[in-house]
Amino acid sequence: MPNSESTMNTWVIDDFGGPDVFERREIAVPDLDDHQVLVRVHATSVNPVDYKIRRGDAEALCPPHPATLHGDVAGIVVAVGDDVTAFDEGDTVYGCAGGYPPVPHGALADYMPCDARLLAPMPDALSFREAAALPLVTLTAWEGLIDKAGVEAGERVLVHGATGGVGHVGLQLAAWRGAEVTVTASSQRKLNIGADLGADTLINYEEESVDEYVERCTDGRGFDLVFDTVAGENVQTSVKATRLNGQVVTVGAPADGGLRRAYGSGLSVHFVAMLIPMLHNVRRAHHGEILRWTTDLVEEGHLRPLVDDRTFTFDEIGDAHTYAESHKQIGKVAVTHPEA
């Protein structure tokens, strides 16, 4: 038990609803299983799945009420389970390690018990706030672009959403692998950020149609690989931008009929469901492995998180959700513990 404490603060929801449903509450510090470490939480970040759970749009992913949400965590190990050998007390760690059943304890708390396999040493070059912005989005981008699509040097890759959570990591991973990276965004400011992160070619999708940018960027041939970070109707846009027998990676379900053209073009379509290892206890250690590689990439200068300038504490978690749902942020919305 950290510092002999038996209780801790949590920021919970008792029911689904708007951003004002969060309440600060004192509960018992959870017991630690042999394969877990207890992390003193310093920061988390807001992902779309978090506010979808809060609203009730993703009810199946919500822990039992009162629910402690948020999967991304960065903090300090304060206790270690009997079977854990990878970490010691005092280690700084990060990961996406809870807040979804069957791992109910999320990051909106003083302490978070985490399966050690889901964590990695935090990059020394990052603050807790920056590190907390990386896990879910990096795991999603890595699974899609590297594990599934096997992006290679010289490929023409289109990444939708240059400054989105998954998009800004995806473009950096593709560039690190040697691909020729093109990105989309809705403003020149966002495109400039994409270029600063390593994109070779820029597309303002508000000003240029799919046919126009496919012609300009690929001489009408289409991209070898398109990484869709939006899903829904954007899957059809992604399919349209992909060459014959190319690949599309998407983070969500397509709109009705979204795969018909993919079939006619002989495309390989990959769906990314990053939460599967946590939800089903399948290959959890691979998530920790990916984040260890991510730490190396950060330290070597190949990857950096894009975190919005606005700051929030756990006591302002409702405001953080409101801001994230507005889609006005640049990069990730990070939230820090009020005592961190």
Side-chain angles (χ1 to χ4, degrees), residues 214 218 220-226 238-248 261-268:
V214 166
T218 71
R221 174 174 172 266
F223 293 90
D224 300 308
L225 167 61
V226 177
S238 300
V239 167
K240 191 175 182 181
T242 307
R243 68 166 172 82
L244 298 174
N245 294 320
Q247 297 188 88
V248 173
R261 183 178 178 128
Y263 169 76
S265 299
L267 305 187
S268 297

Side-chain angles (χ1 to χ4, degrees), residues 44-48 50 72 129-130 132-138 163-166 168-169 305-310 323-324 329-335:
T44 185
S45 69
V46 185
N47 293 293
D50 299 317
D72 282 342
R129 183 171 175 268
E130 291 170 323
L134 279 176
L136 185 147
V137 295
T138 303
T163 61
V166 177
H168 89 276
V169 173
L306 181 62
V307 183
D308 192 87
D309 290 338
R310 287 196 60 178
Y323 185 53
Q329 72 272 25
I330 299 292
K332 294 292 298 294
V333 176
V335 190

Side-chain angles (χ1 to χ4, degrees), residues 92 94 121-127 131 134 291-305:
T92 55
Y94 73 136
M122 199 179 92
D124 291 335
L126 300 183
S127 66
L134 279 176
L291 291 175
R292 287 175 184 270
W293 292 329
T294 299
T295 293
D296 291 339
L297 292 181
V298 171
E299 300 290 4
E300 294 166 4
H302 298 294
L303 178 64
R304 56 189 169 97

